[in-house]
Amino acid sequence: MLGVDGTGDEEPLFRPYAVTGGRAEPRYHMAMETLVSSSSIMDEELALLTPEQDAIIRLCRSFRSVAEISALLRVPLGVARVLVADMADEGLVRLHQPRLDQGQPDLNMLERVLSGLRRL
């Protein structure tokens, strides 16, 4: 990501904890391997999104893990969790939580996360 001055200095798109009101944890548990996808959003709603929400919507046109969102936006994992959880509450994104309560993680999901991490 280009810096604000366009010099190529890599800076986050936004000041991480300013956009979360200082919160570092979402209101509910969200694993870093939780997959996120964009919901259908009408054009007039797109104009109302914050720059952070817009960036996440664009990233999540294909499934992304919360860890990938954190890495791609260059923000701490806690900040990415808070932003994604708030967006899920607003219906902007859908969360696809791993089903760890069944004893074994979904192998397909783990392979997708590993593939995404390798692309970083």
Side-chain angles (χ1 to χ4, degrees), residues 16-111:
Y17 292 100
V19 297
T20 64
R23 293 178 294 149
E25 291 295 324
R27 292 181 181 94
Y28 49 87
H29 176 74
M30 182 185 308
M32 70 179 190
E33 64 271 12
T34 298
L35 296 177
V36 183
S37 62
S38 299
S39 298
S40 298
I41 298 175
M42 298 175 67
D43 288 339
E44 53 272 3
E45 291 176 334
L46 284 172
L48 302 174
L49 295 177
T50 65
E52 305 82 43
Q53 290 172 327
D54 184 61
I56 292 171
I57 291 289
R58 290 178 193 281
L59 285 174
C60 295
R61 287 185 176 149
S62 59
F63 285 88
R64 300 280 185 174
S65 70
V66 176
E68 285 179 286
I69 294 168
S70 171
L72 292 168
L73 293 181
R74 300 184 194 288
V75 297
L77 183 58
V79 171
R81 282 181 174 146
V82 170
L83 291 171
V84 168
D86 289 352
M87 290 176 71
D89 289 344
E90 294 176 33
L92 298 172
V93 295
R94 285 186 219 103
L95 302 179
H96 309 274
Q97 299 274 10
R99 296 195 175 128
L100 299 177
D101 58 338
Q102 295 177 349
Q104 295 291 326
D106 178 19
L107 218 40
N108 188 29
M109 185 268 308
L110 291 175
E111 289 173 0

